[in-house]
Amino acid sequence: MKGLCECEIIAQSEISPGVVRTLLTGPEIANEAKPGQFVNVQVARTTTDPLLRRPFSVHAVYPDQGVYSLLYVMVGRGTALLNKIQPGDYVSVVGPLGRGFDLGDSPDAEHIVIAGGCGAAPLHFLCDDLCNKWGCEKVKVLTGGRSKNAVLCEAEFRSHGVDVAVSTDDGTYGHHGVVTELLQRYLDNDAQRTTHNAQRPFRIYSCGPHAMMREVARICAEAGVHDVQLSLENNMACGIGVCTGCVQKIKGPMKNDKSGQNWHYERVCKDGPVFNAEDIIWE
Amino acid sequence: MGIASPDLSVKIGKIEMKNPVTVASGTFGFGQEMADFYDLSRLGAIVVKGTSLDPWFGNPYPRTVETPSGMLNAIGLQNDGLESFLSEKLPFLRQFDVPVIVNVVGQSVEEYAEVAAALDKAEGVAGLELNLSCPNVKKGCMIFGSTPEGIAEVIRAVRKRTGLTLITKLSPNVTDIVSIAQAAVEAGSDALSLINTLLGTAIDPWKRKFRLANITGGLSGPAVKPVALRMVWQVASAVDVPIIGMGGIMNAMDAVEFMLAGADAIAVGTGNFVNPMAAVEIVTGIEEYLKATNISDVKKIVGAVN
Ligand SMILES: Cc1cc2nc3c(=O)[nH]c(=O)nc-3n(C[C@H](O)[C@H](O)[C@H](O)COP(=O)(O)OP(=O)(O)OC[C@H]3O[C@@H](n4cnc5c(N)ncnc54)[C@H](O)[C@@H]3O)c2cc1C
Ligand SMILES: Cc1cc2nc3c(=O)[nH]c(=O)nc-3n(C[C@H](O)[C@H](O)[C@H](O)COP(=O)(O)O)c2cc1C
Ligand code: FES
């Protein structure tokens, strides 16, 4: 049955300070994963501390070779342990998990992908599929980071042949400012270009820090762009939907609720991690 | 010459389990997600997430945080309520050849009794586990389970409304678990399960903030195993009803320790998160242990610590 596999680490390389790309074997994951889905990795096999698996988005897949890659930032003990695993060794992986991005069914849409920091991880895979499905000329990437080093995967995005715009908070590279300013500017320009109200049907995809995605949601709502998909995170214990730990507050009443509340919780690991921006209740 | 195939079956009240391995409530959902990993019929029984009369929203997040060899959770018993259990979850579980035990939660004695009465009539429910021990909700649950009088009141009310096997789940957050266990048995509980989580908290020193939105949560996982094992042993020595032991069981040897301490069956909880296959691997591991030690029947190791 699906779900649990032993993946050999083929290589790990630090592509930027503290940012690691890992290539692993895993034919099922490479063949079945959809952009925006993630895997849950056991970072240490012989100890109960750390106990829980760590979730990482699928960064790229190579179905023909039966391999896939992850891109992670070393932030704590789990990621440090993962980084110590040598090529040739195996890790236990559960996945692919969760509900990924919906690439839409309209050939007229223009797809804008907005990455913040390590939020670029799932978006490289997404760009790949978007280009294959709709053609690279329909895809635009806006990617940002605190500083030049934190702008991840720019070369990979460009390798698809898509248009890429970059921003850094400190101005060391690209636009000096946050990446959502690039989005704002792009939508403003588009509004000027288009005569009367006939805006092009945009589809927006984003992954990154919470504050950034919240701003993406705000800008899009203001601009009347409705197809906005955000990949969220929360602390995960199981990653497979059984513990109800990783929830996000979502609009609309809970099923069978009689108390009249107009919200409910959904699981990021199972009902997400990709949610529609208009459904999210931010706090 | 070892034993070819030892008898793994055990009985909890009227519930016939083909092996002594079940799962801890709240760590297995209602089985749907786990059925992707293995055939649920391989388990001795399934204990589903706490179920209340009306849906419960649960607590704000973050709801979970990892701690050394364990984790804290403050889910707050989010569940879709009895109606959805009966119309959606139970029909799914009926497909499998495995007894289903429903973990029942309530905010009042009447609510426990009402849920129990409805489940009594439902086809495919083998037993009830009364959650009188959840530390993460303000009303009900642990409030009832912390005193012998409180626990007895709920059990007596439920007992009147159902003939199903009643299992009472005990909290470790009490001074004397044995007196509570005895009160539960006297009030009509057919079996006991223990332990629920240990109340704890965690703080982020840099942000100077509690790591859980609920501030406190329940500790589970390998960190609690020694406490759980001690409590199972104490309770098993004091009462005559079957016991389902749990708390930090990650592998077959952990499970065997609980059975040696006096548990008739065991439940895998947090272990499911670390290894989704843990419960079925434990079934196999217990069988191997019996073969290796030349024991023909798993019931012979219950309470057999020297
Ligand atoms: C669906 C999903 C996909 C993810 N994809 C990626 C990815 O592709 N690349 C990547 O670098 N990271 C990703 N993350 C975040 C990654 O899981 C955490 O960075 C990782 O678990 C930290 O582990 P650690 O032991 O190194 O850090 P810890 O020592 O556990 O914690 C260090 C810091 O990380 C935070 N943290 C811990 N767990 C999580 C978590 N699950 N989500 C967010 N923050 C957390 C803690 O609050 C703490 O501030 C993803 C998270 C989710 C939920
Ligand atoms: C995320 C989570 C949710 C839980 N939910 C419930 C519940 O709904 N009802 C209940 O009786 N116990 C609940 N528990 C407690 C477990 O069933 C079990 O008693 C406890 O976790 C100890 O076992 P373990 O260390 O193997 O996890 C929950 C535990 C966890 C970790
Ligand atoms: S992490 Fe357990 S339900 Fe999402």
Side-chain angles (χ1 to χ4, degrees), chain A residues 1-13:
Chain A
M1 288 197 185
K2 85 143 202 195
L4 183 64
C5 61
E6 293 289 324
C7 297
E8 184 187 345
I9 302 243
I10 303 167
Q12 299 212 65
S13 49

Side-chain angles (χ1 to χ4, degrees), chain B residues 164-176:
Chain B
L164 291 170
T165 295
L166 269 192
I167 305 160
T168 303
K169 185 152 176 187
L170 303 179
S171 168
N173 305 305
V174 293
T175 347
D176 179 16

Side-chain angles (χ1 to χ4, degrees), chain A residues 237 242-245, chain B residues 23-27 48-51 64 71-75 77 103 105 129-134 136 169 194-197 218-222 224-225 246-250 267-271 273:
Chain A
V242 297
C243 77
T244 341
Chain B
V23 288
S25 175
T27 66
V48 301
K49 175 74 188 167
T51 297
T64 64
M71 61 172 281
L72 289 164
N73 90 80
I75 309 296
L77 290 166
N103 186 264
V105 299
E129 179 179 61
L130 297 180
N131 181 352
L132 293 165
S133 44
C134 177
N136 297 324
K169 185 152 176 187
L194 63 156
I195 60 173
N196 209 313
T197 53
L219 183 65
S220 64
V224 310
K225 193 185 119 188
M246 72 194 85
I249 296 177
M250 306 298 282
V268 183
T270 303
F273 305 163

Side-chain angles (χ1 to χ4, degrees), chain A residues 216-230:
Chain A
V216 168
R218 192 193 62 78
I219 291 170
C220 291
E222 225 162 62
V225 175
H226 302 293
D227 282 323
V228 182
Q229 299 172 59
L230 306 178

